[in-house]
Amino acid sequence: MGRQPKEYELIKANLNLQAVLKNLEEVVEFDPESAALARTWEEAILFRVHHGPSGHLVFRDGRCTVGQGKPSRPSIVLFFLSPAHFNRMMEGKAKPIPLKGFSRLSFLTKDLPRLTNRLEYFLRPTPDLTKEQSYLELNTRLTLTTAAMAVSVLGALDPLARLAVAQVSRGLVNLKVLPRGPEVWVGFEGGRIEAGKGAKERPSARMEMKGYQAANDFLNGRLDPFTAVASGQVLVKGQLPLLESLSLILDRIPVYLS
């Protein structure tokens, strides 16, 4: 692939920071190997991207928190020359510029990569890996989280997604893996989208996927929406125009993340 335009790199950097890295929270919580790695970590990492987003990773009390902006008292500050520089780092093709935390270089070069490699392992499934139920469940959880967070980013920055957002005045969608799987929510209001993990009360619409396999196939495009709904593997309830706008935005994710 040739050099991408600046707008593409900016959107992708926001997706990487807000949607992909967000999954470190899930990996540390639900993967025993990752939980053991991060159990004693006490670090706050700030990512600063020139002409791009800023965000943070905080490891504390055996948990990982990912968010936008600057954390309280960062112990490590990593600078990137551009959104493209940050994206190349996410692909393992570039290194950040450390501005703070030189005494923690061992953590950055040895410890943290073990966790991010674990994240990559769960984000890049193969047919053999998804035969294992525990892998299938965590991969599905990560895919659902990525989708919700990506919708929020694309609704603000992607031109075609913004057109879909403009068709909705307000509304709330809950997405769930049945019967007791993960849930996320996506809220539309005033031309903006917010998203988060868990469920919201009194949603305008629901999208419920019947089991991890059906959810995994649907979220990864192996099960098209028409077939999914017609076969009963995906149940939709409530305001259908809201779900249609959401589906249009979800279709934009593979343009930037693959």
Side-chain angles (χ1 to χ4, degrees):
M1 183 181 292
R3 186 176 180 181
Q4 294 287 357
K6 290 182 179 180
E7 293 78 9
Y8 173 93
E9 296 288 359
L10 177 62
I11 294 171
K12 185 171 182 176
N14 276 274
L15 287 170
N16 275 324
L17 192 54
Q18 299 178 43
V20 177
L21 284 181
K22 185 71 173 177
N23 287 305
L24 285 173
E25 295 180 353
E26 308 291 292
V27 170
V28 169
E29 183 174 356
F30 293 100
D31 173 44
E33 184 174 327
S34 299
L37 280 173
R39 181 173 56 85
T40 61
W41 293 355
E42 297 288 328
E43 301 287 356
I45 306 170
L46 169 63
F47 299 95
R48 288 176 52 194
V49 182
H50 187 55
H51 294 311
S54 64
H56 62 263
L57 297 178
V58 176
F59 297 98
R60 187 165 292 128
D61 300 325
R63 298 178 64 85
C64 174
T65 304
V66 182
Q68 299 181 52
K70 182 180 178 181
S72 176
R73 298 186 300 276
S75 54
I76 298 169
V77 178
L78 302 178
F79 179 71
F80 300 85
L81 298 171
S82 65
H85 181 197
F86 180 76
N87 293 332
R88 289 196 300 272
M89 185 276 293
M90 291 290 293
E91 296 167 359
K93 298 176 181 178
K95 299 291 185 183
I97 301 170
L99 300 182
K100 181 181 180 180
F102 295 99
S103 63
R104 293 170 169 82
L105 289 180
S106 178
F107 171 79
L108 289 172
T109 58
K110 296 179 181 179
D111 297 335
L112 186 59
R114 293 170 65 192
L115 180 60
T116 55
N117 287 342
R118 197 69 181 154
L119 172 62
E120 184 175 6
Y121 167 74
F122 283 110
L123 285 175
R124 297 193 178 277
T126 66
D128 285 340
L129 285 173
T130 53
K131 289 178 182 177
E132 182 183 341
Q133 186 65 22
S134 61
Y135 183 97
L136 175 68
E137 290 183 7
L138 186 48
N139 173 259
T140 304
R141 180 181 291 276
L142 301 185
T143 305
L144 186 62
T145 296
T146 301
M149 302 305 165
V151 164
S152 179
V153 172
L154 293 173
L157 298 176
D158 178 76
L160 292 180
R162 288 205 303 268
L163 290 176
V165 174
Q167 305 304 311
V168 180
S169 57
R170 64 180 300 174
L172 180 67
V173 183
N174 281 349
L175 299 92
K176 180 178 183 178
V177 179
L178 297 174
R180 294 177 296 277
E183 297 179 75
V184 295
W185 60 270
V186 176
F188 297 76
E189 184 159 7
R192 295 178 61 254
I193 298 180
E194 293 184 342
K197 294 184 288 186
K200 291 283 192 178
E201 294 183 356
R202 296 187 294 276
S204 312
R206 302 174 190 268
M207 181 181 291
E208 299 174 338
M209 294 155 277
K210 297 185 72 173
Y212 281 98
Q213 189 62 64
N216 201 275
D217 289 341
F218 177 69
L219 292 169
N220 285 290
R222 294 188 296 272
L223 181 63
D224 69 86
F226 179 81
T227 302
V229 173
S231 65
Q233 294 183 75
V234 174
L235 308 176
V236 293
K237 306 172 185 177
Q239 296 182 16
L240 294 184
L242 192 61
L243 291 169
E244 290 171 358
S245 293
L246 176 60
S247 295
L248 289 172
I249 302 172
L250 289 171
D251 287 343
R252 297 295 294 163
I253 296 175
V255 173
Y256 303 95
L257 301 176
S258 59

